[in-house]
Amino acid sequence: TTEVKQLVTERFANGKKVEQVSCPAEQPSRRGHEFDCTLLVGGRPHTAHIKVTHDAGMYTVNAPRPS
């Protein structure tokens, strides 16, 4: 969740505070696996979609969308 928060803050938050990032526990780091994390951006609930892109645990984070 720390990495997701950092990526969202750097790429998508546009200066808004990112907090309360919550991702499902024990997600497999298997290429093609997808899941959603919830977070607050500027105090409003959002969902960020995560997709594992490599078996070594690399992943992409889509821009959070309002929940």
Side-chain angles (χ1 to χ4, degrees):
T1 58
T2 302
E3 293 87 5
V4 171
K5 179 179 179 178
Q6 181 178 350
L7 282 171
V8 170
T9 299
E10 291 174 358
R11 297 182 184 173
F12 305 116
N14 297 322
K16 296 178 183 170
K17 186 175 182 178
V18 176
E19 53 192 344
Q20 295 183 15
V21 178
S22 177
C23 299
E26 300 185 31
Q27 294 298 302
S29 57
R30 180 181 67 245
R31 188 176 61 135
H33 180 70
E34 300 181 34
F35 58 97
D36 289 330
C37 296
T38 58
L39 56 148
L40 295 179
V41 178
R44 297 188 176 192
H46 284 67
T47 300
H49 186 74
I50 313 298
K51 182 175 184 178
V52 180
T53 58
H54 191 277
D55 290 333
M58 295 177 178
Y59 58 90
T60 60
V61 177
N62 288 355
R65 61 188 186 281
S67 302

